[in-house]
Amino acid sequence: MSGIAAVVKLRKAGYTDLTVYEKTDKVGGTWRENQYPGLSCDVPSRWYSFSFALNPDWTHRFSYGPEIQAYMEKTANDFGVTDIVKFNTPVTDLTYAAPHWRLTTGAGEVEQYDIVISATGVLHNPVLPKIEGLDSFEGDMFHTARWDHSVPLEGRKVGIIGTGSTAAQIIGAITSKVGTMNVFQRTPQWMIPLPQREYLGITKWLMRTFPALQKLTYNFYFKTMVKHFGQATVGDQKELAKIQEACSKHLEDAVKDPELRAKLTPDYQAACKRLIFCSDFYPAITSDNANLITEGIERIVPEGIKTVDGKTHELDVLVLATGFDATSFILPTKVTGENGRDLGEAWDGSPRAHRAVGMPGFPNFWMLEGPTGPVGNLSLITITEHQVDYVIAMLNKMRDEGLEGIAPKQTSFDAYNAEMQARVPTTVWASGGCDSWYFDKSGVPNLYPFSPDRYLNDMHDPDFSEYRLIADSRESDAVQAAE
Ligand code: NAP
């Protein structure tokens, strides 16, 4: 998604000598990787769209995965992005050899570029649970991002570990089809109903005939989500209380059995973990063929899962809905900047960036959806597009002033991250009493802790005094040392 946005916007800004590297055989990123049943996007379709390719034909208010994947492919084709993609070409190494970047592919090819933009996404390295005996399971087992569609589910005993956004969608979608659905829940989650709606033919006609309506609805969802949800997560108690109330009411209305309801009730604040928008989970978990198992998992055994109460839950299929490594970003590609600085070592499990897009010591290396971007429940497409505009401002500066490179100053990076660090404790992600994938090795959530519109506005107003403007890269080492 970010790569497509980057190519379209860069070209529009006059930067046409572009090459895209893609590790697989298709564009689409997360929408290509995730193909599990029930996959949908809980950000409204009208807003989860490229601003330059609004789509009158969305079939639902919240799109399903295959439709978004088709939209990604269509946009990439329509805008001539697909033509410049080197498919099945993973990038294994990026080394800065001033003033260029040397890029090495998995096949050992080496190319040289002036600028590198990392558009590698956030959640793409699946995490398998560290549970003893995982490999001993004799049934069918896969991670949600590697769904095996050849495995039949009808009438079978299915187990799923995890109750995040992914698991909730899967459980909602398949429970009525399987024999038994066993949900292994470590921590309950707050869920807000998803106001799904199918769009009528007349709506599509209106959107197509009056394109201004598409822009209007894009802006409506953009402003509404940022104003309400965005503000809630960064500390607006009134907005948070509304979310809490909606989640509590949802649970109360949907789950009548007090014992089951108690098991499903979190002991932390709503929106602390990434909030789940899902209306199908509670009807599924309250159905006769579903079991919510809250006893801890002791180990996986050949026939299923043994919990700490000594019980063995026999399973035919085991689905691992255990999430992703959210701290890797472009890694495991090895990225080496000035003076041999290694990106993985610099991050050391706590990735940070300057304004989520740049790193000191890594000139002309820009990240989309990089560390500390404002990701919580907003449209990542909008965020990416703003970041691309920021990168374009950097390129324009280089072009206009004949610079060889631009990189954040270490002092700017430190000040920016210190300001965020000081503010993070006031966000619901940190103060809400939960653990989540937002936390990294540093022990704080790796997210932008101010209002998202502040970030988006900043993306349109780069302050170049925060950057080292490198006129001649031969001076670069000296400047770097002086800093
Ligand atoms: P996740 O939110 O990280 O959830 C992982 C689940 O697995 C949690 O319930 C976790 O329990 C459980 N788990 C992990 N290791 C375990 C273990 N060893 N034993 C027992 N349980 C274990 O992952 P996800 O559901 O794949 O979602 C990741 C993110 O993808 C979401 O937060 C969201 O940002 C994105 N997403 C978005 C959409 C959308 O509609 N836009 C849909 C799906 C996903 P604990 O809570 O106890 O850690």
Side-chain angles (χ1 to χ4, degrees), residues 36 40-42 123 129 131 161-167 169 186-187 273-274 321-324 437:
Y36 58 77
S40 68
C41 182
D42 57 14
L123 302 170
I131 303 175
I161 302 180
T163 47
S165 301
T166 303
Q169 292 182 343
R186 185 164 69 182
T187 315
K273 280 176 183 283
R274 201 267 191 193
T322 43
F324 300 85
W437 63 261

Side-chain angles (χ1 to χ4, degrees), residues 395-413:
L395 302 192
N396 291 345
K397 180 86 174 164
M398 283 177 73
R399 185 196 54 200
D400 296 347
E401 299 188 12
L403 302 173
E404 274 192 353
I406 298 189
K409 290 178 182 166
Q410 184 68 46
T411 46
S412 316
F413 169 92

Side-chain angles (χ1 to χ4, degrees), residues 141-341:
M141 180 174 77
F142 43 81
H143 187 274
T144 53
R146 303 283 180 268
W147 196 274
D148 184 347
H149 288 278
S150 70
V151 172
L153 300 172
E154 283 71 16
R156 300 183 82 198
K157 288 179 280 214
V158 176
I160 183 160
I161 302 180
T163 47
S165 301
T166 303
Q169 292 182 343
I170 294 169
I171 294 160
I174 67 172
T175 300
S176 63
K177 300 181 187 116
V178 305
T180 322
M181 169 57 82
N182 297 286
V183 178
F184 295 85
Q185 173 189 277
R186 185 164 69 182
T187 315
Q189 293 262 10
W190 286 115
M191 292 187 200
I192 206 161
L194 185 85
Q196 180 61 297
R197 207 187 108 187
E198 192 170 352
Y199 287 131
L200 302 171
I202 180 80
T203 308
K204 293 178 206 162
W205 180 83
L206 281 169
M207 289 289 161
R208 211 173 304 117
T209 313
F210 305 104
L213 279 178
Q214 295 179 58
K215 195 78 205 157
L216 206 69
T217 45
Y218 176 96
N219 284 331
F220 167 77
Y221 284 115
F222 180 179
K223 302 280 176 232
T224 307
M225 286 295 283
V226 168
K227 185 166 169 220
H228 297 289
F229 195 81
Q231 295 294 349
T233 50
V234 296
D236 184 329
Q237 294 305 320
K238 227 166 108 190
E239 292 296 336
L240 266 178
K242 282 191 220 161
I243 293 174
Q244 183 66 66
E245 199 187 323
C247 289
S248 301
K249 183 172 180 327
H250 185 205
L251 176 59
E252 223 163 274
D253 290 350
V255 183
K256 298 295 175 202
D257 172 1
E259 204 179 313
L260 181 60
R261 197 192 306 152
K263 285 182 178 182
L264 289 167
T265 306
D267 61 0
Y268 56 85
Q269 218 175 343
C272 178
K273 280 176 183 283
R274 201 267 191 193
L275 189 63
I276 300 178
F277 286 70
C278 186
S279 301
D280 307 332
F281 176 80
Y282 290 143
I285 202 69
T286 49
S287 58
D288 290 345
N289 66 333
N291 303 311
L292 182 72
I293 297 140
T294 54
E295 287 78 18
I297 297 173
E298 188 184 306
R299 57 174 294 129
I300 312 276
V301 291
E303 61 274 31
I305 292 185
K306 189 170 176 202
T307 42
V308 290
D309 55 359
K311 212 168 159 188
T312 296
H313 306 265
E314 285 186 20
L315 303 171
D316 301 315
V317 182
L318 177 54
V319 178
L320 307 172
T322 43
F324 300 85
D325 171 11
T327 61
S328 52
F329 297 93
I330 190 175
L331 309 175
T333 299
K334 187 168 170 54
V335 185
T336 311
E338 289 173 317
N339 306 318
R341 192 171 190 210

Side-chain angles (χ1 to χ4, degrees), residues 35-71:
Q35 298 188 1
Y36 58 77
L39 172 67
S40 68
C41 182
D42 57 14
V43 178
S45 322
R46 301 258 179 251
W47 185 30
Y48 196 84
S49 301
F50 295 106
S51 65
F52 51 81
L54 298 180
N55 177 16
D57 296 321
W58 287 124
T59 61
H60 289 80
R61 184 185 277 160
F62 297 92
S63 300
Y64 291 99
E67 192 173 348
I68 303 177
Q69 174 60 15
Y71 170 73

Side-chain angles (χ1 to χ4, degrees), residues 123 268 271-274 324-329 349-352 375 421 424-447:
L123 302 170
Y268 56 85
C272 178
K273 280 176 183 283
R274 201 267 191 193
F324 300 85
D325 171 11
T327 61
S328 52
F329 297 93
S350 302
R352 293 290 179 273
V375 298
Q421 188 90 1
V424 160
T426 65
T427 66
V428 68
W429 307 306
S431 68
C434 73
D435 189 12
S436 74
W437 63 261
Y438 295 151
F439 287 81
D440 60 23
K441 203 173 145 189
S442 71
V444 297
N446 190 342
L447 288 175

